[in-house]
């Protein structure tokens, strides 16, 4: 192998794609499912980071803002541009003038297209735009574009693209130790959690893209010196849209001066995020009662007729930001910039950054490794091509646009009586692969299975064959997001999914039970707050 990447979140996935598409032999491992860490627990925005202007992070805003357009172009099925409303309120963090200046600078830096430029609103226009806002404190507002995504699906589609260039991607395999030759890291000892076997993988370069676990691996390499990670926790809550029926996404002031998103999605509205110090176990951070109170309080202050209570919460998630520590800075003040650490052993670690900026992070790492290979092995340097590489499922063109594809799929899906909304939901997960899923669903339907069930069976088949789904939770949490956005339907669908997966994957009774039990823990956890 030329390179071994540890970590199958967005950072590792991006690196595997960049390396493989430049002809390097690369293997990626993740100790959990792909996107099992922070990359399935973000705010799910591909964004330019308006709020980083406050910290004068102009370089970051410029880079992620421009990257946003590239992710949109390469993965249009996973990225939905939408207006975000920024209400301007009394004693809020932005006055009308400041909001207008901030958005102007943001749009220049981020290279925002003219068609997507901001619209400043009067008080009455803002009230019409969002009637639920507190009219007593409202002074006006602004509309600007943010891009919604599905973080875990972005990871899996980037990995599938990497795989199409030859990258070997393995989930449920931990890097347990490094292998050295003359004190230089030349591989990794791996534990395969599916069969408890150990293996070694040798590689010229090892990349530590382990997100919140980056320092654990640096520690193993005895190179944890100087800069360290600073973990902060971010929580999101999901409520039925009918309980917070906002007309579009809103980015608003919380009483402590931080900014919070409320984002409608698939019959729900999700609210987040918090940003608090975190010292607990890195696996599965929990949502506390305090997190819930903080977010509900912020919503109830700005939307005074809504009166959200804990019992309204349908689902939730908590993620850890792998930020770089800076003395004296509070969680929200810590930079979101990525940094690369090169250890004396040659271990290359990368941490910090944003989902949105994954491609440039990957480019920096791949350039570094490529330059070294050019020096050591006299190979020709290959330039990065990922700015023009379609992400799996995103292969649309002007001649055959995403919209045309949706129309075509809607026609095909009529055979099973599925409507356009169901097709759009599939396309926003699987993009052009929806064709494979609908074809399979038609086969199931012709065997007398209902339309709804045919679609879910086809998704399972696809997820096992093409997306390395191993457990019930992989399918229901990371490949389809059902635990977050369709939890109320799970009582009906879980037995179907369990039976089908057990049949395809030939689970024994105890394996089936374990899958059921493990998912049940996740199912309860998202509405239990301590
Ligand atoms: P992870 O996704 O955590 O991936 C690391 C992987 O390494 C894990 O899957 C883990 O299992 C694996 N691993 C660890 N140790 C080992 C080992 N020993 N062997 C094998 N594998 C190992 N960014 C945006 O652009 N937009 C947003 O809206 C946004 N919102 C956010 C909201 C919150 C609450 C948080 C916490 C972050 C948000 N971010 C956002 C930032 C973004 O989510 C992260 O920067 C990004 O997901 C980090 O990805 P990663 O691959 O570095 O880490």
């Amino acid at each position: 192998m030329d390179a071994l990447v540890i970590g199958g979140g967005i950072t590792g996935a991006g690196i595997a794609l960049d390396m493989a598409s430049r002809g390097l032999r690369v293997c990626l491992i993740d100790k959990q499912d792909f996107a099992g860490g922070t990359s399935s627990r973000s705010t799910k925005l591909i964004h330019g980071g308006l709020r980083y202007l406050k910290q004068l992070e102009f370089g970051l805003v410029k880079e992620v803002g421009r990257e946003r357009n590239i992710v949109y172009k390469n993965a249009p099925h996973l990225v939905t541009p939408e207006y975000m409303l920024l209400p301007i309120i009394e004693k809020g963090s932005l006055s009308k003038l400041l909001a207008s200046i901030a958005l102007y600078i943001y749009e220049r830096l981020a290279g925002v297209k003219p068609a997507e430029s901001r619209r400043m609103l009067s008080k009455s226009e803002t009230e019409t735009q969002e009637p639920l806002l507190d009219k007593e404190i409202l002074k006006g507002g602004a509309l600007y574009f943010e891009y919604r995504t599905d973080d875990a699906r972005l990871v899996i589609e980037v990995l599938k693209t990497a795989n199409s260039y030859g990258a070997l991607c393995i989930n449920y395999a931990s890097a347990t130790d490094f292998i050295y030759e003359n004190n230089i890291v030349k591989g990794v000892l791996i534990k395969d959690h599916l069969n408890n076997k150990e293996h070694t993988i040798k590689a010229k370069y090892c990349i530590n893209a382990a997100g919140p676990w980056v320092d654990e691996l640096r520690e193993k390499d005895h190179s944890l010196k100087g800069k360290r990670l600073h973990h902060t926790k971010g929580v999101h809550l999901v409520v039925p849209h009918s309980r917070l029926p906002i007309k579009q996404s809103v980015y608003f002031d919380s009483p402590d001066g931080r900014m919070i998103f409320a984002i409608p999605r698939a019959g729900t509205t999700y609210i987040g995020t918090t940003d608090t110090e975190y010292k607990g176990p890195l696996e599965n951070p929990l949502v506390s009662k305090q997190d819930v109170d903080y977010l509900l309080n912020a919503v109830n202050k700005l939307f005074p007729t809504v009166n959200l209570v804990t019992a309204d919460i349908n689902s939730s998630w908590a993620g850890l930001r792998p930020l770089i520590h800076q003395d004296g800075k509070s969680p929200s003040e810590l930079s979101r910039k990525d940094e690369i650490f090169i250890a004396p052993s040659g271990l290359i670690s990368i941490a910090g950054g944003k989902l949105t900026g994954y491609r440039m992070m990957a480019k920096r790492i791949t350039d570094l490794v490529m330059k070294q290979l050019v020096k050591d092995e006299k190979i020709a340097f290959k330039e990065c091509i990922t700015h023009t590489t379609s992400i799996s499922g995103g292969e649309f063109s002007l001649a055959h646009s995403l919209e045309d594809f949706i129309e075509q799929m809607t026609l095909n899906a009529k055979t099973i009586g599925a409507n356009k909304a169901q097709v759009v939901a599939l396309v926003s997960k699987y993009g052009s692969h929806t064709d494979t899923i609908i074809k399979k669903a038609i086969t199931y339907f012709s065997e007398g299975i209902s339309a709804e069930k045919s679609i879910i069976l086809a998704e399972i088949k696809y997820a096992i064959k093409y997306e390395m789904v191993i457990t019930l939770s992989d399918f229901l949490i990371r490949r389809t997001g059902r635990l977050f956005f369709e939890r109320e339907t799970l009582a009906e669908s879980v037995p179907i999914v369990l039976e089908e997966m057990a049949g395809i994957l030939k689970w024994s009774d105890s394996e089936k039970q374990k899958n059921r039990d493990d998912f049940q823990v996740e199912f309860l956890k998202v509405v239990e707050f301590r």
Side-chain angles (χ1 to χ4, degrees), residues 260-314:
I260 287 176
F261 292 101
I263 302 175
R265 183 181 188 127
T268 71
T269 303
Y270 68 99
I271 307 150
T273 177
T274 58
D275 197 355
T276 51
E277 298 288 352
Y278 187 78
K279 303 274 184 220
L282 301 181
E283 276 81 15
N284 296 317
L286 299 173
V287 177
S288 69
K289 230 186 139 317
Q290 227 178 339
D291 298 324
V292 169
D293 291 346
Y294 174 88
L295 290 173
L296 295 188
N297 179 43
V299 170
N300 290 336
K301 277 256 149 56
L302 192 68
F303 305 94
T305 54
V306 163
N307 292 318
L308 282 183
V309 293
T310 308
D312 290 316
I313 300 168
N314 263 351

Side-chain angles (χ1 to χ4, degrees), residues 6-13 29-47 151 173-176 209-213 216-217 220 232-236 261 273-274 317-322 350-357 361:
I6 306 169
I10 193 64
T11 308
I29 56 167
D30 199 295
K31 65 177 178 175
Q32 320 175 61
D33 184 24
F34 302 125
T38 305
S39 299
S40 55
R41 304 155 191 237
S42 76
T43 308
K44 307 183 192 299
L45 292 174
I46 296 295
H47 64 158
D151 45 9
S174 291
T176 53
W213 295 266
E216 260 185 20
L217 287 166
K220 244 185 232 311
T232 79
K233 186 177 76 165
V235 160
H236 292 82
F261 292 101
T273 177
T274 58
W317 65 88
L320 298 180
R321 299 178 184 84
I350 178 156
K354 302 282 298 171
L355 189 83
T356 310
M361 290 167 73

